[in-house]
Amino acid sequence: MQLADLLAHPQPLPSSPRLLALLLTELKQLHPDLRRIDQFIKADPVLSLRVLQAANAPSFALPGQVNSVSEALALLHLDQVQDMVSQAIGQASFKVGAGLPLARFWDYSQNCARVARALAGLLQYKQQAAYVAGLIHALGELAMRAALPQVAELDETCPPLDLKRAFVERQAFGFCYLDVSSALAGQAQLPQMVCDALAYADAPFDNEACEPLAGVLHLAQWRARANQLGLQKNALTVTFPSLVAEMLGLDIDMVLQQDPIDWSRQAGGRMNAASPN
């Protein structure tokens, strides 16, 4: 299957049933708390993409320029958001197989988003765009697993959240989850900066423009995946993407200092009671 074929026959992607239930409860309140709604949506990659797609539609004043959930919610009516949540509830039965439990995927995506936002803040760069890029960057993995049964076969030699996963997928299929995520973001009419960051997140130097957001996302992926893999000090040093960090004026200590206060999932698989933010 070619990338174009996969995109031409999209499969519904899942949101967290727990978050959807919390969102629906809040939206049905007499006076919904917009801050809570914002936090819940920001914790879910699929719903965030849907909200951003709606806000970037040509019917709004800033098509293709909205790069944060907060901005999107300022443009949308809450009944539109409630419709999206109701539709997402009907798609929550998606299965990806034992190799990538969805709870682990959602935790990883949140962690990557948090690290990306923190790194962007350190660089005085676009924090909200970095958070969105980190949150949705791996949606392509779900899309590939829904359309290509062969993707799961790679798990035996390269787990889905391994540091080398993008390379292994490109070797096997000619494209990887980042290519799919970038295409999905393009279809949703997200800002080109975010689409480019997703496309070049695995190799920031391949983009002639050298968009800093791609470098930020590259480092955030490394950190979040290293946490999922339980890498310790020596392994962190060996695998650290020093060239990308140097391009941004960072070193390993500066990157590690941007860790979330609480990882939403500790290495080894147990949940932490971290908030969506």
Side-chain angles (χ1 to χ4, degrees), residues 98-113:
L100 180 59
L102 283 173
R104 187 181 180 200
F105 173 82
W106 290 319
D107 291 338
Y108 162 75
S109 299
Q110 286 183 49
N111 288 335
C112 188

Side-chain angles (χ1 to χ4, degrees), residues 17-28:
R18 174 180 172 273
L19 280 175
L20 292 176
L22 290 170
L23 258 173
L24 198 58
T25 298
E26 189 62 46
L27 287 163
K28 289 182 176 180

Side-chain angles (χ1 to χ4, degrees), residues 62-225:
L62 300 172
Q65 298 182 49
V66 179
N67 59 27
S68 80
V69 170
S70 299
E71 288 179 302
L73 290 176
L75 295 171
L76 301 174
H77 297 293
L78 287 183
D79 58 348
Q80 292 176 274
V81 178
Q82 186 166 334
D83 288 344
M84 293 179 205
V85 173
S86 298
Q87 182 181 12
I89 288 174
Q91 299 173 348
S93 60
F94 178 96
K95 304 294 183 185
V96 297
L100 180 59
L102 283 173
R104 187 181 180 200
F105 173 82
W106 290 319
D107 291 338
Y108 162 75
S109 299
Q110 286 183 49
N111 288 335
C112 188
R114 292 170 178 169
V115 175
R117 179 175 57 191
L119 288 171
L122 184 65
L123 298 171
Q124 298 184 330
Y125 196 62
K126 301 171 181 178
Q127 289 180 267
Q128 293 303 316
Y131 184 91
V132 165
L135 188 66
I136 69 172
H137 81 279
L139 281 179
E141 187 67 38
L142 296 187
M144 290 178 68
R145 296 172 87 86
L148 284 167
Q150 304 94 311
V151 172
E153 296 174 5
L154 299 179
D155 295 350
E156 294 185 10
T157 56
C158 183
L161 297 181
D162 192 88
L163 296 171
K164 297 180 180 179
R165 184 71 184 199
F167 173 80
V168 170
E169 288 181 351
R170 282 204 177 102
Q171 289 289 102
F173 307 114
F175 60 89
C176 74
Y177 67 91
L178 289 167
D179 300 313
V180 180
S181 298
S182 178
L184 292 174
Q187 289 180 336
Q189 302 183 69
L190 266 62
Q192 191 61 45
M193 171 187 64
V194 173
C195 298
D196 288 346
L198 296 171
Y200 291 100
D202 194 49
F205 294 120
D206 288 354
N207 184 4
E208 291 182 3
C210 244
E211 169 59 53
L213 187 55
V216 166
L217 183 53
H218 185 92
L219 293 175
Q221 278 197 98
W222 166 79
R223 186 63 192 108
R225 288 175 185 248

Side-chain angles (χ1 to χ4, degrees), residues 201-205 214-216 218-219 241-250:
D202 194 49
F205 294 120
V216 166
H218 185 92
L219 293 175
S242 55
L243 289 178
V244 174
E246 184 178 348
M247 177 186 76
L248 297 174
L250 302 174

